[in-house]
Amino acid sequence: MKVFVFGGGGEVGEYLLRKLAAENHEAITIAETENRAEELKMIGASRVYVSKDYDFIEAISGCEAIIYVAGANPTAGENRNVLVDKEAVARAMEEARKQGIERVVYLSPARVDESAKSQETGDKKIPEELIKQDVFTYTIVYSSRGVHKPGKGMIDIITSPSKKVMEIPYEDVAAVLVESLTNKATYNKTIKVIAGNTSIENALKNI
C-alpha cells in the first residue's frame, strides 16, 4: 500500500518508516532539508519530498492511505496543553478527500493515562472528531507514554483510562499503526493501547 506519513521525521515516525518498509508498504513523507530527506530514505521511506513550508499536496498524490502522527507529543501529560495544529489536520483531510484517499490512521496526542479533563485541553480531540465525521475509514489510536526502548511486539487493549504509569516503546506504537492499516477489526474504531502480553496482531484482531 502507498502510505503518506504525516510526522515521518518524529520519534514514532522513524519507527513507522522502518515498519512500513519491512511490511512492503511504500512510505511517502516530507522533510524540511535535503539532508534530512536522505536520512529518512535510509530509514525506510520510499520517497521524501523536501518542503520548508510543509506543502504536502504533490506528495500525497496517488497515496492510498494516511498515517497522521504530527500532533503527537511524547512530553504531553496531565494538565499540560499540547499544541495540536487543528488547521493542518483539516487541510490534510480536505486534500485526502479531494484525492479519493479513504483510509486514515491517526495517533492521538492524548494519552490513555490522562484524565478526561486533561485529554480535552489544547483541543487535542478536535482533529479526531473531524476525521470521524468525514468520509474516511478511520482508526484512532491512543497510547501510553512512548519511550525509546526496543519494541516487544506485545500490547494490551484497554477500554478505560488508567492512572498507572504505563510506558510503551515507540517501536510498538508504530507497529500498532502499521498493523491497523489493513486490519479490518480496527476500522472506524478508537483503540487504546498499552504495553502488555498479547501480540499486536492478535490484540487488534480480537477487538
Side-chain angles (χ1 to χ4, degrees), residues 38-170:
E38 289 304 314
E39 290 174 355
L40 296 180
K41 288 177 185 175
M42 293 177 66
I43 289 171
S46 298
R47 190 166 184 179
V48 182
Y49 288 78
V50 177
S51 174
K52 291 184 178 180
D53 58 1
Y54 215 68
D55 180 2
F56 59 83
I57 293 178
E58 180 183 357
I60 204 174
S61 177
C63 289
E64 301 166 84
I66 287 172
I67 299 180
Y68 203 117
V69 296
N73 183 343
T75 65
E78 187 77 15
N79 299 321
R80 292 185 61 184
N81 289 346
V82 174
L83 297 177
V84 180
D85 191 340
K86 299 178 288 295
E87 292 185 1
V89 177
R91 288 197 303 273
M93 296 305 116
E94 180 181 1
E95 189 60 31
R97 197 183 317 116
K98 286 179 182 176
Q99 300 206 23
I101 298 172
E102 297 179 351
R103 185 75 179 109
V104 175
V105 179
Y106 182 80
L107 178 61
S108 175
R111 296 202 326 263
V112 297
D113 52 344
E114 290 184 65
S115 66
K117 181 179 179 181
S118 178
Q119 289 187 0
E120 294 292 342
T121 58
D123 293 335
K124 296 177 206 172
K125 286 193 167 183
I126 288 180
E128 299 173 24
E129 298 306 317
L130 171 68
I131 292 169
K132 287 180 181 178
Q133 293 169 12
D134 219 311
V135 298
F136 307 111
T137 300
Y138 68 85
T139 302
I140 295 170
V141 177
Y142 285 54
S143 77
S144 45
R145 183 187 296 276
V147 291
H148 282 294
K149 292 182 179 178
K152 297 181 178 178
M154 307 291 280
I155 62 167
D156 284 332
I157 306 288
I158 63 172
T159 56
S160 60
S162 170
K163 296 298 292 182
K164 290 177 62 179
V165 177
M166 300 171 293
E167 295 179 342
I168 185 171
Y170 290 123

